[in-house]
Amino acid sequence: MTNVDVHQHLWTASFLAALRARDEPPFLDGWTLHTAGEPPYEVPSADHDVTGRAELAAADGLGRALVSMSAPLGVEWLPSDEARPLLAAYHEDAAGLPEPFGAWAAACVRDIDADATAADLDLGFAGLQLPANALADAAGYARCAPLLDLLEARGLPLFVHPGPAPGASPGPGWWPAMVPYVQQMHSAWFAFRAFGRPRHPRLRVCFALLAGLAPLHGERFAARGGDEGRGGVDPDVFVETSSYGPRAVDSVVRVLGTDVVVMGSDRPYAEPPQQPGFGLGGATAYAFRITNPRRLLTGKD
């Protein structure tokens, strides 16, 4: 039995070099990150030290930690001639990370190339991460359909993560994470319900950060003509817990139950929970860290 964290970030040497080779966002100047939608960010170098991160994962008791390219960078939204070198650098190193790491693949969403993504998935990735703002409406699902068809055909999951926040209002450093990221996840949750699930009936999907707490809006959804209560909880739609604690997780569990919640930490941007079961008991901790991630990743109980 393996404890799994489905949501971490770890930039390896090739990806760091590819970011430093650029002079337009996203790029690194030394360890200063520049993106189109957020103020410059001083990246602690230790956050992306593979050996040190492996030791942290072991201390957390993890048998597997899935890393992904940070979608808020905006790499997936670049034109393909700019995105491909960054994607290639990410995939090259991420596929070879040591135990206990695994990784999510990434894909350009501005110029869809399902064949390129298929080749990346062939390297052994757990599934595909896409930015939430690429899956926010019917047009997004139409554009990304070849990628989602590929995942369905291979029985691999989709991980929906906040994308870039261009034009975000000036404010404190926490603003993008608390406002545009959450708004994106809220939109993506309902867009999947309206446009994604009808088009991709066999797709397993996991939404980061408890889908921006969108599941808690079920009563309003029903009051405004939605189909809340018809068909119950979708057993193949998961949410992960990053940056939230017992109150939020308990609230989501009251709506979705324990079977579709998986543990994600968002390390190095947040810490794993002090209580693996968020105060809901040992059986819940086992479900969040072992049973549910296994079903998300393999489709098997």
Side-chain angles (χ1 to χ4, degrees):
M1 299 297 180
T2 297
N3 288 318
V4 179
D5 181 343
V6 304
H7 183 186
Q8 296 197 9
H9 301 285
L10 177 59
W11 300 346
T12 50
S14 294
F15 187 60
L16 291 167
L19 285 172
R20 291 188 176 117
R22 295 176 53 83
D23 57 10
E24 294 184 2
F27 71 94
L28 273 173
D29 179 5
W31 284 100
T32 303
L33 176 66
H34 298 264
T35 62
E38 301 186 32
Y41 173 69
E42 294 299 320
V43 179
S45 59
D47 285 352
H48 301 289
D49 175 71
V50 174
T51 300
R53 289 288 301 278
E55 291 172 353
L56 283 174
D60 292 337
L62 296 176
R64 197 176 190 199
L66 296 181
V67 302
S68 67
M69 192 173 66
S70 299
L73 292 176
V75 171
E76 297 96 329
W77 281 106
L78 293 172
S80 59
D81 61 334
E82 294 186 52
R84 284 312 306 173
L86 290 161
L87 292 170
Y90 166 74
H91 290 120
E92 175 186 348
D93 280 359
L97 284 169
E99 297 282 342
F101 295 110
W104 298 95
C108 181
V109 295
R110 181 166 172 174
D111 302 306
I112 301 292
D113 187 342
D115 290 338
T117 299
D120 293 330
L121 290 170
D122 286 342
L123 298 175
F125 287 88
L128 177 65
Q129 175 188 274
L130 290 178
N133 56 356
L135 297 170
D137 52 27
Y141 274 97
R143 183 177 60 252
C144 294
L147 301 176
L148 305 184
D149 289 341
L150 174 64
L151 292 176
E152 277 191 297
R154 295 194 175 197
L156 294 175
L158 168 69
F159 181 41
V160 182
H161 187 286
S169 300
W174 48 259
W175 185 269
M178 288 304 301
V179 183
Y181 291 5
V182 173
Q183 290 172 338
Q184 287 184 36
M185 296 309 302
H186 183 106
S187 296
W189 172 266
F190 285 104
F192 181 78
R193 185 162 193 158
F195 313 114
R197 177 52 84 214
R199 188 165 193 153
H200 302 282
R202 295 178 290 109
L203 183 65
R204 300 190 306 282
V205 56
C206 180
F207 290 87
L209 52 111
L210 296 177
L213 300 183
L216 302 187
H217 292 266
E219 292 163 323
R220 179 174 174 83
F221 180 56
R224 295 306 177 101
D227 60 353
E228 183 70 14
R230 279 184 269 165
V233 174
D234 188 328
D236 289 327
V237 175
F238 298 78
V239 295
E240 62 87 16
T241 60
S242 61
S243 299
Y244 285 100
R247 285 178 294 182
V249 172
D250 178 74
S251 296
V252 170
V253 164
R254 289 173 181 268
V255 175
L256 299 180
T258 59
D259 292 342
V260 293
V261 180
V262 296
M263 201 277 280
S265 68
D266 200 18
R267 190 187 284 276
Y269 305 110
E271 296 295 316
Q274 294 297 311
Q275 297 176 295
F278 295 87
L280 298 175
T284 298
Y286 189 90
F288 288 2
R289 293 166 65 95
I290 297 176
T291 308
N292 299 347
R294 181 171 60 222
R295 193 158 48 80
L296 166 66
L297 297 171
T298 69
K300 300 176 182 177
D301 291 324

